[in-house]
Amino acid sequence: QRSAAAGPLGIAVETLASSASILLSDETGLIGELTPAAATDAAAAAAAAAVDTDSLLSGLRTFFAVLSALVFGLFGITYIVAAFIVPKAAEQLEADTKRLRPGLWEEYEAKLEPGQTMATRPDILQELGEVMRPVIIGDFEKSAAQEEADKKAGIVDATVVEEKQSSGSNEGSSPSSILDTDNQWKD
């Protein structure tokens, strides 16, 4: 009798066990016939090996799918960097170089062949970036130090001063800025 709950694999195992007669032998000859229980175990092991093969193939399929996704992802990231980020970085470096070291940008542009831009020659762009890095950092530190000194000296940003002057002493109006604290709590 076949068990309906065992499924197709169970039916195949039972069929193999009931219909197969496996003989074992050694060097001397015939040892004997395999019992039905041992045949069932052997058929179950064969079926498990088949399931393991399917599992292995499924694992390989998953591995190659993930590998393909990574390759296409890296290609996409490379395209985005080359098409959008590098040109913007080149524009910003051009502005900083022309502002801080006039003439240096033209010197590096002279290294380009006709029809090339800094965005298409990342080696020259990187070289200029390495030259300009300490200059840009120094300029940033200088401006940050100046801003800190202005705060200590009591100098307020010009836009805040203009807002206070434009609001004047309007008692009934709402404050024009968060920084305007003269009439903040008056209703």
Side-chain angles (χ1 to χ4, degrees), residues 1-185:
Q1 292 202 355
R2 294 186 180 154
S3 169
L9 185 61
I11 293 170
V13 170
E14 290 176 11
T15 303
L16 282 173
S18 64
S19 65
S21 168
I22 301 175
L23 298 177
L24 295 178
S25 65
D26 66 358
E27 295 174 0
T28 60
L30 191 62
I31 292 178
E33 197 172 296
L34 192 61
T35 63
T40 303
D41 291 342
V51 171
D52 287 343
T53 303
D54 289 341
S55 175
L56 178 65
L57 290 176
S58 175
L60 283 173
R61 189 176 310 124
T62 302
F63 170 76
F64 284 114
V66 169
L67 184 65
S68 298
L70 287 174
V71 167
F72 283 113
L74 288 175
F75 177 74
I77 289 170
T78 303
Y79 175 77
I80 289 171
V81 167
F84 301 107
I85 296 175
V86 171
K88 290 293 182 185
E91 289 175 15
Q92 183 63 45
L93 185 60
E94 178 182 11
D96 289 341
T97 303
K98 287 181 176 179
R99 179 175 54 90
L100 298 171
R101 294 285 188 260
L104 187 60
W105 181 261
E106 289 77 19
E107 180 183 325
Y108 275 87
E109 275 189 329
K111 295 179 180 182
L112 297 174
E113 295 176 10
Q116 288 183 332
T117 64
M118 286 290 221
T120 59
R121 287 290 305 272
D123 56 326
I124 294 176
L125 186 66
Q126 184 176 5
E127 183 180 328
L128 179 60
E130 292 298 321
V131 169
M132 287 300 296
R133 177 178 288 142
V135 176
I136 293 170
I137 291 173
D139 180 60
F140 176 76
E141 289 174 350
K142 179 182 170 187
S143 66
Q146 181 65 36
E147 201 173 292
E148 187 66 32
D150 289 348
K151 283 183 181 179
K152 287 182 181 178
I155 299 174
V156 183
D157 189 13
T159 57
V160 175
V161 173
E162 289 175 9
E163 286 179 6
K164 283 187 177 183
Q165 289 174 351
S166 67
S167 67
S169 59
N170 299 337
E171 294 290 326
S173 67
S174 63
S176 62
S177 170
I178 294 175
L179 299 175
D180 187 12
T181 58
D182 294 340
N183 60 3
Q184 180 178 0
W185 301 107

